[in-house]
Amino acid sequence: MSKQRVLVVGNGMVGHKFIDNLLQDSQADNFEIITFSEEPRLAYDRVQLSSYFSGATAADLALTDEGYYNENGVNFVLNDKVVELNTKENYVVTASGRKESYDKLVLATGSFPFVPPIPGNDQEHCLVYRTIEDLEAITASASQSKVGVVVGGGLLGLEAANALKAAGLETHVVEFAPRLMAVQLDEGGGSLLRRKIEDLGVTVHTEKATSEIVEGETCRYRMNFADGSHLETDMILFSAGIRPQDELARQFDLEVGERGGIVVNDNCQTSVDNVYAIGECALWGGRIFGLVAPGYTMAKVAVSHITGGSETFQGADMSTKLKLLGVDVASIGDAHGNTPGAQSYTYNDEIEQVYKRLIVSEDGKKVLGAVLVGDVEAYGNLLQLMLNDMELPENPAGLILPAGSGEASVGLGVDALPDTAQICSCYDVTKGQIKEAVANGCVDMGGIKGATKASTGCGGCAALTKQVLDAELANLGYEVKNDICEHFAYSRKELADIVRVKQIKTFDELLESHGHGLGCDICKPTVGSILASFWNDYVLKDEHIGLQDTNDIFLGNMQKDGTYSVVPRVAGGEITPEKLIVLGEVAKEFNLYTKVTGGQRIDLFGAQLHELPLIWKKLVDAGFETGHAYGKSVRTVKSCVGSTWCRYGVNDSVGFAINLEDRYKGLRSPHKLKFAVSGCTRECAEAQCKDVGVIATENGWNLYVCGNGGMRPRHADLFATDLDDDTLIKYVDRFLMFYIRTADRLQRTSVWLENLEGGLDYLKDVVINDKLGLGAELEAEMEANIGNYQCEWKTTIENPERLKRFKHFINSDETDSSLAYVAERGQRRPATQEERIQSVELVD
Amino acid sequence: MSQWKTICSESDLTPNTGVCALVDGEQVAVFYCGKTKSLFAVSNYDPIGKAYVLSRGIMGSLGDVPVVASPLYKQHFNLQTGECLEEPEHTLKTYPIRNEAGEIQLQAA
Ligand code: SRM
Ligand SMILES: Cc1cc2nc3c(=O)[nH]c(=O)nc-3n(C[C@H](O)[C@H](O)[C@H](O)COP(=O)(O)OP(=O)(O)OC[C@H]3O[C@@H](n4cnc5c(N)ncnc54)[C@H](O)[C@@H]3O)c2cc1C
Ligand code: SF4
Ligand code: FES
């Protein structure tokens, strides 16, 4: 039998899925596949498109590559649009004139963004959001713009707004309807979402119809609205909905719906038997499905029909859970309560900004739908109750009430779900498949993702997938692990609890009672840091010394050649000329490379072990203290000059920075801690990228937390406003101690917060509202810590026993003869390997 | 066979840490495990970081193997054989070592 020729028009998410499924089919060999794409690349993950703005590349987003298609004999043509279709003679023609015949034709042409017919909508900085090329255009335009407007307050519009905001633009959303996400949310949900988004600095304009886009006065353009008002902007992103790409069907006589979409039956066949339509271009039961999961199901159905199988398409669930501009939003089933007789429960907490509405059937027994804003933890449970048509528990309100509210919150153990329950809709993975993967040896999320693809799409099912995994592991008698290393079957948090509760004071005690083996370079420093956080003992006592990284043992950071750096504390970055001179003199005497750091202090590099105590003796005598640049501890509190000198300053940022630095110096924590204090909103100290940021206001201080520079920068969150000194310090005490108690090893506050269940709101609850009743305890722990502060360098140089370690050799006074330096810009630096080999002129 | 050379006394060693000794011109990293009371001696040169620093690494165990982690880039070296666990193409020279009545003694090349 000769091969059947299958032609796929469109290589988007669904077109590719179809091809992939057909290749996996047992009859794959009977088919020859050819696909055309209008885009310049093969299928990529459009769902994750926005991650392009946070650094993902086209390669990261790719769903397949040319190698895979070549290996499997799939012919593909990129950058060539199919423009003609002949269903009588079974061929298509492309824009470049290429003609190809087919036995089966699959239309997977997706959709295109709808741009409302507003005069002026075709100007250079009026853009849409659908393809990688669109994103490139947006990035280019944003770089020449200060203000951006998104037209459309739906799901994609808000995603686009997030992108503009992240690009640093003043961002507006203009919506025609009276509320945001009108399709998915009800009135209450929509208005809370609006409030939250506006709190983030995005301005929302509802009930605005744009009548024209003209030249602007203060910006590039002006949008005139039907109600006579206007808005100035430099760029406009249209995200006013999508329209099915049904051009071919329309022009070449396939049946299309009244409002667009290629009509298909349950087999995904169009009005012509050997022509199929799948994905966003297809209209089934009068509906278009604008999500990827239903498209994937259609791809499966079409493959089944072509290969003689019997799967049919029966519609799809359109529930969604997303994070939009950092706000959690979910919509399930009949969110508007349109089903006759539907009743609802509503929970609306204006203080905590949480809105939840549960829609149940007339008899009150089944979930019909739900809207969740601000807290979407119930999503998984509710969705499963609805999809599996399960009976509601006794008191359904408990499903949306916050935990611990007296009304015992009614959980739904994943154990109650049938094996057929769909856990991941993107990849159609059932609970049964996850169980099977566990039985075959997957014990963590990575394994499950690899084996089933669950939660590798939109990620919305990650929590539920993890629950199923954990429950299944527990059923099979596994312990669910997040052990820190092979020596301790505990997480950092658990170890910290053990140390605190059992009053354990040494690593050996802990290893003896709770671990095995000798320990390693993971658990030793971790336990060392925990011990130091709670007991703040001198870290170089014999029983602690083996726990420390070399940096902590020798109280300096090891450099590439094995020498160390010297970083004295310069609290708040303020330094007297006398002290500056001392630093210069010491650097000169020991020939240390000298550099001003990014943390507002001065680093002296290239000290050998035996020189460290000599150098520090001089520094301590001159009144310097260690800067803890080596420790997982408080680094610097950066400051701006503030109100004492600056004409704009509203408070003494330097003074307060020094107070904070003196208070928290020496505090050991899971990772380093950085602070900053700015004297006014101009923010010259860059406080909003610090773990703790403080900005002066007319009425006190605004406190920001959990910012991060470094590898993955994170903007800090505003935590509390207009605080006086004492309240601010109280909050910071609690915040830091709570972080120290609960964070993982090497987890900065930014990552910790992102992983903290309940997020920022929960953190505020604990710190500001003292929800856990821990406040006094946390403060007392901090006080004890502060009371135990010592300058480790001072303690060290006063103790001759300690100083013995500061020798390169235990049995000789010689020094490391392998060190070699070359001169550069008036100072020395380590010679490179090449320079050593070529014996470039070395200096001392 | 070369001579045993005393480098220090037992009381000079801090359990679970390393020190560096100079023996016949070679830099030797010496480790003392407090729990098993064993002594180990390997070259102080980190062939990956290319500096004489191994005595300043953290010692411990991985499985049954006693190891030191380089303080520069954290690769682990087997203290008994000198082999690098992550990059086995690198092996440290090892040295015979003993505790002779409280004297720590090494045999260099
Ligand atoms: C010296 C300095 C660079 C300079 O010449 O300016 C520096 C040097 C080092 N940084 Fe840094 N960082 C320095 C300011 C910064 C800053 C800027 C700041 O603090 O405002 C940042 C970004 C802000 C932040 O951390 O949020 C920064 C982000 C990092 C990171 C990435 C952290 C992250 O969360 O992604 C690391 C790696 C790590 O900690 O795991 C790092 C690690 C290091 C280490 C410890 C790497 C190492 O192990 O050798 C460097 C050794 C310091 C030494 O030998 O003394 N350094 N480092 C700066 C010392 C400031 C000080 O006075 O203490
Ligand atoms: C920013 C963004 C975020 C999204 N987020 C989510 C989400 O969180 N969850 C979710 O479920 N869905 C989301 N979606 C929707 C999801 O991406 C789509 O449902 C999915 O891509 C549809 O797949 P498709 O193959 O039908 O269409 P597409 O992926 O659009 O693929 C169609 C392809 O066909 C090509 N084509 C069209 N006509 C022709 C022709 N005549 N000749 C040749 N090629 C042609 C097009 O250029 C395109 O490459 C999002 C979409 C966007 C834009
Ligand atoms: S932040 Fe304010 S006070 Fe500080 S230097 Fe800038 S303008 Fe001056
Ligand atoms: S539901 Fe989208 S990844 Fe599972």
Side-chain angles (χ1 to χ4, degrees), chain A residues 738 756-767 771-772:
Chain A
F738 187 57
L756 189 68
E757 224 166 286
L760 184 67
D761 291 340
Y762 177 67
L763 187 60
K764 284 185 187 168
D765 258 347
V766 173
V767 171
K771 182 175 173 176
L772 304 182

Side-chain angles (χ1 to χ4, degrees), chain A residues 656 660 676-679 683 687 692-696 701-704 728 732:
Chain A
F656 199 47
L660 288 175
V677 184
S678 279
E683 246 283 71
V692 176
V694 179
I695 301 177
W701 306 102
N702 282 353
L703 174 61
Y704 289 79
L728 187 136
V732 175

Side-chain angles (χ1 to χ4, degrees), chain A residues 777-832:
Chain A
E777 194 178 320
L778 297 174
E779 284 168 50
E781 267 170 17
M782 183 61 84
E783 278 307 326
N785 232 296
I786 293 167
N788 284 340
Y789 171 80
Q790 51 189 315
C791 166
E792 287 134 14
W793 264 114
K794 187 157 186 288
T795 312
T796 303
I797 52 184
E798 283 166 358
N799 185 333
E801 262 309 293
R802 300 292 160 214
L803 290 179
K804 278 200 197 156
R805 299 199 69 83
F806 291 86
K807 275 173 68 181
H808 193 79
F809 297 111
I810 191 162
N811 59 341
S812 157
D813 285 334
E814 281 186 43
T815 59
D816 185 357
S817 58
S818 72
L819 301 174
Y821 297 93
V822 296
E824 193 169 84
R825 294 188 296 277
Q827 302 198 64
R828 61 169 190 163
R829 62 151 173 85
T832 63

